[in-house]
Amino acid sequence: MTMPTWYTSVEGNARRRGGGPSRRVVELLAAVLFVVLVAGAWSAGLLSSSRIGITPDGPDADVDTVADAGRATDGADGAGRPRVVVSMSTFAGRVQDANATIASLVDQDYPLDAIYLHVPPAIERLNISGTLTESDSAVLKFWDGRVSVRRPVDLGPTTKLIGALYAERDPNTIVITVDDDVVYRPDMVRGLVESMTARPKMLSTYGC
Ligand SMILES: *[C@@H]1O[C@H](CO)[C@@H](O)[C@H](O)[C@H]1NC(C)=O
Ligand SMILES: *[C@@H]1O[C@H](CO)[C@@H](O)[C@H](O)[C@H]1NC(C)=O
């Protein structure tokens, strides 16, 4: 399987609620390493949908989505621009807290082909039920049509990456994974895309 190009969010490109800077840097490095390992395992066939117990149709098969606007599979838009999607995950009870994050993604000054929001139906490792609160539902309804909401099985920190890989079919799609507690600057996506386009063999990060 050909892997789409992906990026991970970085420390310092945005306002974050809580958490000291040094801890975030360490978390970032751990996250980057983890994603590299997962990507490697996936392409080497060590990690497959059957091994992790999800159906070939994708982790959210048979689960309702509020919107699936971003599920186009037609690659670039014909203007020589790569297909670019942003993917995040959060959980029930916390969707409302992610509203400002979602708004900052919708407000990016680079045209996004999809914004994926993964909300697993339950997170067993954290003993969290998947029941959406009224506020959660209000937020999802507000963004209906602009954000593609998916309810995959929880795959831990990889949920947002693997979820996007299931949704995207073009191996050249740029997948940018972001956290649910950061308000991103409007030029975050453009900065990453320009950086990776200029230096395709480097891992781009973006800070302020
Ligand atoms: C999980 O949460 C439920 C409901 O909040 C609680 O009754 C149960 O004891 C929790 N289980 C564990 C293992 O913490
Ligand atoms: C979510 O954020 C948007 C943009 O700031 C705001 O207009 C909207 O009222 C918020 N929705 C909810 C349910 O908080």
Side-chain angles (χ1 to χ4, degrees), residues 13-14 103-111 183-191 206:
N13 66 348
S104 76
L105 299 175
V106 171
D107 284 347
Q108 287 294 307
D109 63 14
Y110 189 95
V183 175
Y184 291 93
R185 292 197 330 202
D187 61 352
M188 178 270 290
V189 167
R190 186 164 46 80
Y206 187 65

Side-chain angles (χ1 to χ4, degrees), residues 64-66 90-96 117-122 128-141 149-151:
D64 289 346
T65 57
V66 171
T90 188
F91 43 81
R94 192 169 150 142
V95 179
Q96 188 190 25
L117 174 61
H118 298 90
V119 189
I128 290 174
S129 93
T131 311
L132 296 172
T133 64
E134 265 180 43
S135 319
D136 290 344
S137 300
V139 168
L140 297 185
K141 189 165 189 301
V149 177
R150 300 160 62 79
R151 314 256 359 231

